[in-house]
Amino acid sequence: ETGVTQTPRHLVMGMTNKKSLKCEQHLGHNAMYWYKQSAKKPLELMFVYNFKEQTENNSVPSRFSPECPNSSHLFLHLHTLQPEDSALYLCASSQEDRSSYNSPLHFGNGTRLTVT
Amino acid sequence: GQNIDQPTEMTATEGAIVQINCTYQTSGFNGLFWYQQHAGEAPTFLSYNVLDGLEEKGRFSSFLSRSKGYSYLLLKELQMKDSASYLCAVKDSWGKLQFGAGTQVVVTP
């Protein structure tokens, strides 16, 4: 079983649709993240959850809504998206420890989202 | 502002050596990471440097100079499977990870 699993792998949706992306981690980590990856651009951090509490929201439009029901699951709810939201959405997890900063992120394979 | 710079693309021959440079300007420094990402796949962790010097892991090595805001990832004895994007990321003093845009390495026969 892979460490971080994302579904679906591909998603095409219209601007008026509502859909959700799902992420599950099997690593026992205490932090989970949503990143957006667009071509030729740096990974953009969208949301961070530490111990199921949202600790970061990087000015993300309200049409993206995260949900973290427990430390193993993370969702990204999508509503009335725009074509420029088409990108690869990556979920990641890590074990965060306030005394050290060397915990690497473990990524899922991402959901390739196309908004038409 | 915060800035992570790395070349967009590099091409090298199988068996050769390639060095991917990364320069950074961030609000404080708590370590630098390198990740590898094959097309259509998840980024995977390669290395972490927080002290100056060279860290070696098999064919891959990573170097850091904090005074120069500079790191490089060295790939030796290149193989076709090393064709991928290599991401440099710096953790700032707030613990936030800032990514560069990635360097696409193309290995040719």
Side-chain angles (χ1 to χ4, degrees), chain A residues 53-98:
Chain A
E53 298 297 320
Q54 184 176 313
T55 59
E56 192 91 32
N57 174 347
N58 272 3
S59 304
V60 179
S62 59
R63 57 186 184 268
F64 295 91
S65 173
E67 179 190 358
C68 188
N70 55 59
S71 58
S72 301
H73 292 85
L74 187 64
F75 296 89
L76 188 63
H77 303 300
L78 315 172
H79 178 47
T80 59
L81 294 192
Q82 305 297 311
E84 60 264 28
D85 296 322
S86 298
L88 181 68
Y89 288 85
L90 290 164
C91 174
S93 70
S94 69
Q95 183 61 29
E96 289 305 304
D97 177 350
R98 288 189 178 86

Side-chain angles (χ1 to χ4, degrees), chain A residues 9 37 42 56 102 105 108-109, chain B residues 35 37 40 42 48 96 99:
Chain A
R9 287 298 305 273
Q37 188 173 36
E56 192 91 32
N102 62 351
L105 295 175
N109 282 331
Chain B
Y35 289 85
Q37 185 178 21
Y48 172 76
K96 291 178 68 170
F99 279 88

Side-chain angles (χ1 to χ4, degrees), chain B residues 5-43:
Chain B
D5 285 318
Q6 49 182 131
T8 305
E9 185 171 315
M10 303 183 75
T11 301
T13 309
E14 204 172 4
I17 297 174
V18 71
Q19 177 175 313
I20 307 168
N21 296 325
C22 173
T23 57
Y24 62 88
Q25 287 178 297
T26 54
S27 303
F29 179 82
N30 273 305
L32 186 144
F33 295 80
W34 284 97
Y35 289 85
Q36 179 192 58
Q37 185 178 21
H38 285 102
E41 296 183 15

